């Protein structure tokens, strides 16, 4: 157990942790998660050990068994008419539903996955210089995955690693002016850094589908 007695910065915390360990593989795991599949680590490791793979993400569910994360899609925004950064695939869909061509339930390559549960080789993490500490809370995982992809690695999502995610249980939601201002600053930062990639369209998402929702519905 390592103590980090500084203001909350997800990127800095994890960069510090990695600097203190000597292991071939790293698992980033939020403290608001609960493992619900016995083979979750093996399911992630089977892809993380592949030399062409840079990062592996898991399926995360809300406690009511709806999907919180089944991968990340670039460009999705909750504000119609504005350019977005990214959103979670099939968010709020019941885990019993098929989704778009069964995608929540299939192993697949994606542009990004959440660092709430992400496995990778330490050598890859060091190669891309870790998390960007300018992104204290939001989109640090998207930024990391885009840099991993830029190096030519794949980012893999596996539904066979299955966890509950009690989202924002520790920090709370972006529900006060200070947090909202920080969030908007991070949106502007990553848009400036990666907007040219995001606006080309996610290569793992059909351009005929909407960017205004996370449900894979048709763009109207």
């Amino acid at each position: 157990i390592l103590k980090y007695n500084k203001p909350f910065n997800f990127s800095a915390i994890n960069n510090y942790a990695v600097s203190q360990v000597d292991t071939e593989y790293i698992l980033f795991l939020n403290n608001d998660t609960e493992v619900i599949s016995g083979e979750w680590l093996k399911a992630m490791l089977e892809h993380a050990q592949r030399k062409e793979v840079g990062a592996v993400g898991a399926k995360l569910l809300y406690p009511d068994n709806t999907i919180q994360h089944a991968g990340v899609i670039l460009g999705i925004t909750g504000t119609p008419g504005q350019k977005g950064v990214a959103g979670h695939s099939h968010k709020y869909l019941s885990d019993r539903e098929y989704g778009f061509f069964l995608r929540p339930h299939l192993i697949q390559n994606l542009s990004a996955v959440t660092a709430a549960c992400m496995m990778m080789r330490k050598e890859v993490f060091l190669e891309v210089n870790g998390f960007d500490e300018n992104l204290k809370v939001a989109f640090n995982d998207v930024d990391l995955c885009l840099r991993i992809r830029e190096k030519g690695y794949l980012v893999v999502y596996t539904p066979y690693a299955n966890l509950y995610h009690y989202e924002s249980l520790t920090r709370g939601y972006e529900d006060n002016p200070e947090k909202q201002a920080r969030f908007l600053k991070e949106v502007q930062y990553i848009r400036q850094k990666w907007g040219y990639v995001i606006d080309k369209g996610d290569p793992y998402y059909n351009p005929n589908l909407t960017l205004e929702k996370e449900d894979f519905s048709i763009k109207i």
Side-chain angles (χ1 to χ4, degrees), residues 6-216:
K6 296 180 181 180
F8 185 88
N9 181 322
F10 181 91
S11 297
I13 290 169
N14 284 289
N15 286 341
Y16 170 71
V18 172
S19 74
Q20 301 300 303
V21 300
D22 182 18
T23 179
E24 184 178 356
Y25 296 95
I26 301 165
L27 176 74
F28 300 106
L29 184 65
N30 277 20
N31 64 349
D32 55 359
T33 56
E34 177 186 350
V35 175
I36 54 176
S37 58
E39 299 296 315
W40 69 293
L41 278 176
K42 288 184 179 179
M44 300 182 80
L45 182 61
E46 68 182 2
H47 298 289
Q49 67 185 338
R50 294 165 52 199
K51 294 301 181 183
E52 70 272 23
V53 173
V56 183
K59 181 196 283 185
L60 304 181
L61 303 176
Y62 289 113
D64 64 356
N65 290 306
T66 58
I67 292 172
Q68 192 269 335
H69 170 270
V72 171
I73 303 298
L74 299 180
I76 287 181
T77 173
T79 308
Q82 290 190 10
K83 292 182 177 180
V85 175
H88 286 187
S89 168
H90 291 90
K91 193 170 186 177
Y92 303 125
L93 179 77
S94 170
D95 193 39
R96 293 184 177 183
E97 298 291 334
Y98 292 134
F100 185 78
F101 287 90
L102 285 172
R103 282 189 60 170
H105 313 293
L106 299 175
I107 296 169
Q108 61 199 271
N109 298 328
L110 288 168
S111 291
V113 292
T114 180
C117 182
M118 175 194 290
M119 182 182 287
M120 59 192 304
R121 298 190 304 282
K122 184 178 179 181
E123 64 181 12
V124 175
F125 186 80
L126 297 179
E127 182 180 349
V128 299
N129 297 314
F131 286 104
D132 185 338
E133 296 183 12
N134 292 298
L135 296 166
K136 298 179 180 179
V137 178
F139 304 121
N140 36 56
D141 42 15
V142 174
D143 171 77
L144 180 70
C145 286
L146 288 176
R147 284 184 282 120
I148 288 170
R149 293 265 300 144
E150 191 176 48
K151 290 288 187 179
Y153 295 105
L154 298 172
V155 173
V156 174
Y157 160 79
T158 175
Y160 297 102
N162 212 340
L163 300 89
Y164 283 134
H165 186 196
Y166 302 96
E167 191 179 30
S168 301
L169 188 65
T170 303
R171 288 195 65 261
Y173 290 96
E174 311 291 1
D175 54 3
N176 65 49
E178 182 181 355
K179 288 183 179 180
Q180 291 169 354
R182 191 225 73 247
F183 177 77
L184 289 175
K185 183 178 180 181
E186 292 178 343
V187 169
Q188 293 168 356
Y189 178 84
I190 197 167
R191 283 287 316 170
Q192 184 176 13
K193 186 175 182 180
W194 291 108
Y196 72 99
V197 172
I198 295 169
D199 294 342
K200 286 180 182 178
D202 192 318
Y204 300 108
Y205 190 65
N206 191 315
N208 296 301
L209 301 180
T210 184
L211 292 175
E212 296 181 0
K213 299 178 183 178
E214 295 163 304
D215 62 0
F216 283 63

